[in-house]
Amino acid sequence: MSPDPATEKPSPGVTDAGMPVRGYRVAPGGTLVGEVGVPGDKSISHRAIMLGALADGATEVTGFLEGADSLATLAAFRNMGVQIVGPEAGRVHIQGVGRDGLTAPNGPLDVGNAGTAMRLLCGLLAGQPFESTLVGDASLSRRPMRRVTDPLAQMGAAIDTTPAGTAPLRIHPVDRLHGIDYAMPVASAQVKSCLLLAGLYADGETCVTEPAVTRDHTERMLATFSCPVQRDGARVCLRGGSRLTAAPVAVPADISSAAFFLVGASIAAGADLILPAVGVNPTRIGVLNILRAMGADIEIANRRDCGAEPVADLRVRSARLSGIEIPRDQVPLAIDEFPALFIAAACAEGETLLTGAEELRVKESDRIAVMAAGLVALGVDAEVLPDGIRIRGVGNGRLTGGTVHSHGDHRIAMAFAIAALRAAEPVVVQDSANVDTSFPGFAALAAGAGLDIEETAAVAAETAQ
Ligand code: S3P
């Protein structure tokens, strides 16, 4: 039986291969001031490589996230014959090969920790005339893939998973795919995007209906690449056989990375922080809506467009937060920001209740169980619910400090690092290596703004009990 990542006791300080893991030791207190430019949006960076590779002509990308996840997507397309120059300071030049120009990879495509890469590529590869295999790391190899392989099978795709419905995914060529009209059982932009990409190779129209609004970067970028996607309420449709025309992509700063600073500056005393040019796509701003409902002091200034995506400069200052019942319609709009939001809840006055968020259990870790365990270790009253969490905030008080384990989840490591701003004792975060998947340079950037954070390989082993 494979270990349950929610309850499995982490091996302190070493990876599966016995290597020492990186960790953080964060001194308690301090504040965040000045200006912090967070790196490019991960979701948009993945899509820029994918659509740029399939387009006719050359695509110039700026602001590309040089994190392990989006670099895995870039490497996968190089492996399928696409010439890509960069990234260099966020610039990437992609020589598109056209809709039908990919060539068979010379082995399995390893996308590491990147769920977006695996699920979107699965759709795109389902329509190729060659066989391919998608593999990932231990965390990704536990995540559910039937949510994409089942509807793709309805389109005529031939994809093998493990008996548990997980990767490796072996994708066999088929004569033809046909469009389907699919009502998604879960609100997932990854599933929607996977099916739209497969739909490019399908006969007729492929339509996807979402049960709740999910991020629409794929639709926006397809339109930029002259491939229109029709939206009618919750249903999006794309006509098979469409070709893409290369177009420049400017990637905004990632609101999911900004979230750690929005929360950090809200909970720290005397904080005043500017986050320039952050993506504020309405399908991603749940974190702003939820934090403001909790009483956060966030100004959204200088709204403008960055290509197909809206951006704004965010200014956040210390505030007294109050616990809230998180509105269910905000859950998909803040799906990646809950680790940070749980820290806000832990520092708020009163109770915060999240329900309808069972998806958090199948992210890079079980984010309900892993966050609850870490919050309890920091002296916070947190109760795990089947589909969410109940957190009783410390109000005017402080978290205790202590040792928490990220379970290899980048967003959990960053959330607990930020929590030290309101702790009485140091916070030690075991296993920060995967922060590089979405936010390379996080510790240095946070230190520049005032967080007293030290990154070390030995910290986890020394302090683990
Ligand atoms: C993503 C969609 C979300 C999100 C993930 C990135 C995307 O997943 O959690 O980090 O880029 O489409 P789901 O759509 O499965 O919720």
Side-chain angles (χ1 to χ4, degrees), residues 27-108:
T31 192
L32 295 175
V33 288
E35 189 171 301
V36 166
V38 301
D41 187 281
K42 181 152 73 76
S43 292
I44 298 172
S45 294
H46 281 298
R47 288 157 170 84
I49 298 292
M50 294 180 190
L51 299 195
L54 295 181
D56 297 313
T59 291
E60 299 291 340
V61 185
T62 50
F64 180 77
L65 170 67
E66 297 182 36
D69 276 16
S70 36
L71 290 172
T73 291
L74 188 154
F77 281 90
R78 278 203 179 121
N79 199 340
M80 292 188 285
V82 183
Q83 282 184 17
I84 304 175
V85 180
E88 212 185 294
R91 301 187 88 85
V92 181
H93 175 99
I94 309 162
Q95 193 57 51
V97 294
R99 206 184 67 109
D100 301 312
L102 296 177
T103 56
N106 63 8

Side-chain angles (χ1 to χ4, degrees), residues 330-414:
Q330 295 300 308
V331 171
L333 310 185
I335 195 69
D336 291 334
E337 287 68 76
F338 284 108
L341 285 168
F342 293 172
I343 300 300
C347 298
E349 183 75 48
E351 188 176 282
T352 293
L353 176 65
L354 171 68
T355 56
E358 46 278 278
E359 273 297 294
L360 292 180
R361 292 194 169 273
V362 289
K363 293 296 181 187
E364 286 83 329
S365 70
D366 176 342
R367 287 183 173 163
I368 300 287
V370 174
M371 281 301 299
L375 287 171
V376 169
L378 298 186
V380 179
D381 180 358
E383 182 195 346
V384 171
L385 307 174
D387 63 341
I389 195 167
R390 188 191 305 275
I391 297 170
R392 182 161 290 283
V394 296
N396 277 334
R398 297 196 157 260
L399 314 179
T400 56
T403 296
V404 298
H405 200 289
S406 77
H407 284 258
D409 186 324
H410 53 137
R411 299 201 197 280
I412 287 183
M414 290 185 276

Side-chain angles (χ1 to χ4, degrees), residues 415-461:
F416 281 118
I418 286 295
L421 289 160
R422 271 286 284 283
E425 298 289 331
V427 174
V428 171
V429 180
Q430 294 179 334
D431 196 355
S432 62
N434 273 341
V435 166
D436 288 350
T437 61
S438 67
F439 201 153
F442 163 75
L445 214 53
L451 189 71
D452 190 350
I453 182 169
E454 179 194 348
E455 193 166 25
T456 156
V459 66

Side-chain angles (χ1 to χ4, degrees), residues 142-301:
R142 283 193 287 258
R143 296 178 65 186
M145 292 297 148
R146 287 205 179 109
R147 55 180 59 197
V148 289
T149 57
D150 283 352
L152 287 171
Q154 290 176 29
M155 295 177 75
I159 304 171
D160 302 330
T161 67
T162 67
T166 53
L169 305 180
R170 178 173 262 206
I171 304 161
H172 308 279
V174 291
D175 281 346
R176 57 195 323 113
L177 296 179
H178 50 84
I180 55 169
D181 196 344
Y182 187 66
M184 288 193 292
V186 289
S188 167
Q190 293 183 347
V191 176
K192 174 178 64 174
S193 304
C194 162
L195 299 180
L196 292 177
L197 290 172
L200 285 174
Y201 296 92
D203 294 338
E205 219 179 23
T206 297
C207 297
V208 184
T209 302
E210 42 188 18
V213 174
T214 69
R215 64 191 70 190
D216 65 357
H217 306 304
T218 303
E219 298 94 301
R220 285 174 187 251
M221 203 182 290
L222 280 168
T224 304
F225 279 69
S226 309
C227 174
V229 176
Q230 261 75 50
R231 180 173 277 277
D232 181 10
R235 186 162 173 262
V236 289
C237 295
L238 169 149
R239 183 147 287 287
S242 307
R243 293 195 73 87
L244 310 182
T245 305
V249 180
V251 181
D254 198 331
I255 191 167
S256 298
S257 297
F260 303 103
F261 291 95
L262 294 172
V263 170
S266 296
I267 64 170
D272 187 350
L273 201 64
I274 307 263
L275 302 160
V278 176
V280 288
N281 179 316
T283 63
R284 293 284 297 281
I285 55 168
V287 63
L288 297 177
N289 299 337
I290 293 167
L291 281 175
R292 281 176 148 184
M294 294 176 79
D297 178 357
I298 302 173
E299 274 173 37
I300 305 176

